Amino acid sequence: MKTAFLLLFAIPQILIAQTDSLTNEKSQEEINKEIARNFYEDLWFNNRTENYSKYLAEEYTRRDIGDTPDQEAEVEKAIAQKEVADRFWDGGTMTGFIDYQIADGDRVATRWYWTYKPESLMAKFMVGEHTIPIINVFKFKDGKIVEIHNHRHDISLNFTNMFLLKGLGIGFLIALVPTFLAIYYRRKLKRATQTVNA
């Protein structure tokens, strides 16, 4: 009778303890969301780019907006994310905030806002001062990012100035051809008229 009473008392306590331990443990999805949040905090909201290896696998695949499904994803070394962030930090200051995150299995989608304040002349021309929304989808494996999908509206930035510069450069090169021909034929005509007059 004493044993039965103890079992009746002990079993609910064991079940409650097991339930509490399960609810206190973070799911892998929550852990992945936290890794993604810390990635943004270190590389894009604060200048702690040396922490890149905490979040990224040695190599990861990257897909950008506009890539088609049949297009092969680019494979990059983890340090590429540090190098990109460092370029922006070298030209100005960055900050931002996370709007929301959604996790599903080994993927985390984050909608966040990126604010850039350029300080160098090149950064002012090429990027400008902006706040833009970005959506990234990360795929995780063994606690590291192994795939990045970028969805951002670059046309809102001054990146289009790059196309303007390319167009001006091509136009300038094309204009040089008739200019050189005009100079060449003018000299030739001048020599011919000097020969006739002599």
Side-chain angles (χ1 to χ4, degrees):
M1 182 76 172
K2 202 174 187 181
T3 308
F5 178 74
L6 284 172
L7 282 174
L8 284 174
F9 180 74
I11 290 174
Q13 295 300 324
I14 292 168
L15 291 174
I16 288 169
Q18 285 179 342
T19 305
D20 285 347
S21 72
L22 287 175
T23 55
N24 287 337
E25 285 183 29
K26 285 185 183 176
S27 70
Q28 190 59 52
E29 289 179 346
E30 288 301 315
I31 292 168
N32 291 345
K33 284 167 66 175
E34 187 176 340
I35 293 167
R37 280 193 303 273
N38 291 336
F39 168 81
Y40 295 114
E41 282 295 330
D42 279 352
L43 274 74
W44 298 98
F45 303 161
N46 297 285
N47 192 357
R48 298 188 295 250
T49 60
E50 68 280 355
N51 292 336
Y52 75 96
S53 60
K54 289 182 181 179
Y55 313 112
L56 295 149
E58 285 186 32
E59 287 188 340
Y60 65 92
T61 57
R62 179 180 57 83
R63 289 192 175 277
D64 283 326
I65 193 167
D67 289 354
T68 58
D70 60 332
Q71 194 173 352
E72 202 166 312
E74 285 197 40
V75 176
E76 295 181 334
K77 299 281 184 196
I79 198 159
Q81 281 293 310
K82 176 188 179 352
E83 290 167 347
V84 169
D86 282 341
R87 259 180 273 156
F88 282 109
W89 283 110
D90 289 344
T93 57
M94 298 187 286
T95 189
F97 66 92
I98 292 174
D99 190 12
Y100 60 86
Q101 289 183 299
I102 301 169
D104 184 22
D106 61 356
R107 298 190 187 254
V108 173
T110 305
R111 184 175 196 270
W112 59 289
Y113 285 88
W114 178 67
T115 299
Y116 189 66
K117 293 185 179 171
E119 293 167 359
S120 72
L121 187 62
M122 182 63 92
K124 286 177 183 176
F125 180 74
M126 294 301 289
V127 184
E129 186 170 338
H130 292 284
T131 297
I132 63 167
I134 300 172
I135 297 173
N136 292 127
V137 179
F138 294 159
K139 181 178 179 181
F140 287 85
K141 185 177 179 184
D142 300 326
K144 300 275 185 159
I145 299 166
V146 294
E147 196 171 302
I148 298 176
H149 294 253
N150 289 315
H151 303 275
R152 65 188 180 274
H153 203 244
D154 285 349
I155 201 158
S156 299
L157 303 173
N158 292 0
F159 288 148
T160 51
N161 288 344
M162 185 169 51
F163 298 112
L164 173 68
L165 288 176
K166 281 183 183 176
L168 287 173
I170 291 169
F172 180 72
L173 288 174
I174 292 170
L176 283 177
V177 173
T179 303
F180 285 129
L181 288 174
I183 292 169
Y184 171 76
Y185 284 117
R186 183 173 180 221
R187 287 182 179 168
K188 194 172 183 178
L189 183 62
K190 190 174 181 180
R191 273 184 261 149
T193 54
Q194 285 174 350
T195 306
V196 171
N197 289 337

